[in-house]
């Protein structure tokens, strides 16, 4: 849960430091500008608040790793929900308004996470898991989207090393695959989730794993 708080705080800080003119630049999410990604983070923060306020009485059905689903195709940014995010982001018109909303809702989500009992069972997406596992799962969400935020903004700080390492661990455990030790955590995540194509040298190191990529996790 500490890692949730640190990774979320780092992402919020990076958004706060993003110059207004950069909100119109592309992000690492297919089809989304930076402003669209930030709007999605508002929805993510709401999801955290809603889930932590939705107790469950039944036994957990998922944990921090199995919380995530694997899809067959990478997102294009064109499905109904992705398109809604784009329209919502455009409605803010000024980046400062979007920053304010994220800081407001995001700070509340951070406080709620800090107050949560990790053993409490919560419900979301028709599954049940402990609050601790739910928050641990979200380290992957924050870390991948932090990479998306800085994909074309090299002047911003990226995710911390411990967040990258934990996200790589979740990805490898969820897929049952191990990336070569020569891959940095960042490269394993970018290549593994299809955020960039592997180089020829990387394909050689990946071996049979290259044919299984990308792993679309969400």
């Amino acid at each position: 849960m500490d890692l949730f708080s640190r990774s979320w705080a780092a992402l919020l800080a990076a958004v706060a430091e993003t110059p207004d003119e950069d909100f119109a630049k592309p992000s690492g999410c297919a089809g989304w500008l930076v402003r669209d990604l930030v709007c999605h983070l508002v929805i993510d923060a709401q999801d955290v608040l809603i889930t932590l306020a939705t107790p469950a009485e039944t036994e957990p059905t998922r944990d921090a790793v199995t919380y995530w689903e694997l899809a067959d195709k990478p997102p294009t940014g064109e499905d109904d929900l992705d398109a809604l995010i784009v329209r919502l982001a455009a409605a803010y018109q000024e980046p400062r308004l979007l920053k304010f909303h994220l800081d407001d809702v995001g700070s509340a989500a951070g406080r709620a996470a800090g107050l949560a009992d990790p053993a409490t069972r919560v419900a979301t997406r028709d599954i049940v898991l402990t609050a601790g596992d739910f928050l641990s799962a979200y380290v992957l969400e924050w870390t991948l989207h932090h990479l998306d935020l800085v994909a074309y903004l090299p002047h911003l700080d990226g995710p911390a090393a411990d967040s990258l390492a934990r996200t790589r661990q979740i990805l490898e455990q969820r897929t049952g695959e191990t990336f070569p030790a020569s891959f940095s955590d960042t490269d394993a995540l970018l290549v593994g989730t299809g955020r960039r194509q592997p180089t020829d040298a990387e394909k050689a190191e990946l071996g049979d794993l290259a044919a299984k990529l990308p792993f679309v996790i969400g």
Side-chain angles (χ1 to χ4, degrees):
M1 292 176 68
D2 287 344
L3 191 52
F4 169 96
S5 297
R6 293 198 303 275
S7 59
W8 184 222
L11 181 50
L12 291 179
V15 172
E17 294 166 4
T18 302
D20 287 0
E21 58 269 23
D22 286 346
F23 273 61
K25 293 181 179 179
S27 77
C29 287
W32 279 0
L33 303 176
V34 167
R35 72 182 185 187
D36 305 323
L37 172 61
V38 174
C39 187
H40 171 74
L41 294 177
V42 173
I43 304 301
D44 270 348
Q46 292 175 346
D47 181 57
V48 170
L49 287 168
I50 292 168
T51 300
L52 292 179
T54 308
E57 296 182 357
T58 56
E59 290 297 314
T61 57
R62 304 282 184 95
D63 59 23
V65 174
T66 57
Y67 171 83
W68 296 107
E69 303 284 355
L70 292 174
D72 295 330
K73 298 180 180 179
T76 62
E78 297 176 354
D79 68 26
D80 290 344
L81 182 56
D82 287 348
L84 174 61
I85 292 294
V86 172
R87 294 196 298 273
L88 285 174
Y92 280 91
Q93 296 187 336
E94 298 182 35
R96 65 178 179 84
L97 299 176
L98 190 48
K99 284 183 179 181
F100 173 80
H101 197 183
L102 178 61
D103 180 66
D104 193 33
V105 181
S107 295
R111 290 192 297 271
L115 293 170
D117 179 349
T120 298
R121 287 170 287 185
V122 295
T124 181
R125 291 181 356 197
D126 296 323
I127 64 175
V128 175
L129 70 171
T130 67
D133 274 337
F134 172 70
L135 295 174
S136 293
Y138 252 77
V139 172
L140 178 144
E141 180 81 353
W142 302 150
T143 304
L144 290 180
H145 282 328
H146 199 152
L147 290 173
D148 292 331
L149 176 68
V150 304
Y152 299 95
L153 306 176
H155 49 283
L156 295 178
D157 290 334
D162 54 357
S163 298
L164 291 165
R166 176 55 180 153
T167 301
R168 177 180 184 161
Q169 182 183 48
I170 292 175
L171 178 64
E172 291 184 335
Q173 290 178 340
R174 183 64 184 87
T175 61
E177 302 288 350
T178 301
F179 288 87
S182 59
F183 276 53
S184 69
D185 293 335
T186 296
D187 288 334
L189 294 173
L190 293 176
V191 171
T193 60
R195 282 167 164 82
R196 77 164 175 82
Q197 293 297 312
T199 65
D200 290 340
E202 287 172 335
K203 286 181 181 178
E205 289 187 74
L206 287 165
D208 294 341
L209 178 56
K212 301 177 183 180
L213 301 179
F215 296 121
V216 182
I217 192 165

